[in-house]
Amino acid sequence: MEKEVKELAHWRRENRVLVDGKVGYVKIAYGINALVRYNQRELVIYCYNKTDQDIILDAGEFQTYCLPEKIGELVSDILDQESVAQKAYLLKTFKLDRNEKE
């Protein structure tokens, strides 16, 4: 666990979007949720599987909260069919087009 905390702290220091980006959430399945931080340039998705099973994510089951439709669709595309090991997290970053409006 200590290694994970250090890794996440490093990510936060290196990614400004994690400090001042907008926040949204994705309900994925029982025991699995995702926190989304984004700004005009970058999208970061932190997904944690607190269950005792490895899970393959299915975008058809996602519910998004506090996310613009375009960002929600992008998150679904990024996470669909991703595997998250039991008691582990998945961290994804994505560069957004600077000229694109949210």
Side-chain angles (χ1 to χ4, degrees), residues 29-43:
Y30 178 77
I32 304 174
N33 294 302
L35 173 68
V36 178
R37 298 291 302 251
Y38 65 97
N39 58 24
Q40 290 182 332
R41 294 186 206 143
E42 189 173 13
L43 169 73

Side-chain angles (χ1 to χ4, degrees), residues 69-95:
E69 185 176 344
K70 198 173 246 184
I71 297 292
E73 289 171 359
L74 182 58
V75 169
S76 291
D77 289 346
I78 291 169
L79 292 181
D80 190 37
Q81 301 305 304
E82 282 286 337
S83 177
V84 185
Q86 62 181 343
K87 306 286 185 191
Y89 70 89
L90 174 69
L91 189 61
K92 293 279 195 175
T93 61
F94 188 83
K95 296 292 182 191

Side-chain angles (χ1 to χ4, degrees), residues 15-24 36-39 42:
N15 293 283
R16 188 72 194 162
V17 69
L18 294 175
V19 176
D20 58 13
K22 296 176 183 175
V23 179
V36 178
R37 298 291 302 251
Y38 65 97
N39 58 24
E42 189 173 13

